[in-house]
Amino acid sequence: MKLKDIVSKIDAKVVCGENWEDADIEFAFASDLMSDVLTLHCEKLLLITGLCNLQTIRTAEMSDIQHIVLVRNKKATQDMVELAEENDIVIIECPHSMFKAVGELYQTGLKPVF
């Protein structure tokens, strides 16, 4: 699934990142626990989280995750955007709850990691 389709499906907005429109996403993982995220070894992964701080970006960097969706209308801070840009990470802000965002994306065929 193309990232532009994901953004459209969950009424989201991309706040940083370049050349993101045609990125292929195959799997999604939703969690606010970054320790759970660190256990993942998966390519073409979308991280869906309500944790909105630098720890999220650093965890994504360590786990080679290039695409993050912030749910519950959370807004990325300037520090988060700068760190994400340094690491070629796309941050997406979504107004929906995690439950609704995950449900919408699951219905479109995005696969769970587990």
Side-chain angles (χ1 to χ4, degrees):
M1 177 176 225
K2 298 294 183 191
L3 190 59
K4 65 183 174 188
D5 298 327
I6 290 170
V7 169
S8 174
K9 184 69 181 174
I10 58 174
D11 304 317
K13 177 179 82 172
V14 175
V15 293
C16 76
E18 295 180 7
N19 303 321
W20 56 268
E21 294 92 351
D22 291 323
D24 282 319
I25 305 295
E26 188 172 347
F27 299 96
F29 186 78
S31 180
D32 288 344
L33 293 174
M34 294 299 108
S35 58
D36 285 351
V37 176
L38 287 170
T39 66
L40 302 175
H41 302 286
C42 187
E43 294 183 6
K44 299 181 179 181
L45 177 68
L46 179 70
L47 172 61
I48 303 165
T49 185
L51 184 66
C52 186
N53 60 34
L54 284 175
Q55 181 187 8
T56 303
I57 308 303
R58 294 193 191 285
T59 302
E61 175 194 6
M62 292 171 53
S63 300
D64 294 325
I65 296 171
Q66 298 300 308
H67 307 95
I68 301 169
V69 174
L70 301 173
V71 293
R72 299 190 300 264
N73 214 24
K74 300 280 180 90
K75 304 295 181 197
T77 65
Q78 186 59 38
D79 289 345
M80 290 174 69
V81 169
E82 290 173 7
L83 186 59
E85 287 176 341
E86 288 175 19
N87 292 285
D88 297 322
I89 294 173
V90 176
I91 299 177
I92 301 163
E93 295 172 343
C94 172
H96 304 311
S97 68
M98 184 181 293
F99 184 80
K100 182 174 180 174
V102 168
E104 293 285 339
L105 294 175
Y106 184 79
Q107 286 182 335
T108 63
L110 207 58
K111 300 174 191 169
V113 173
F114 300 109

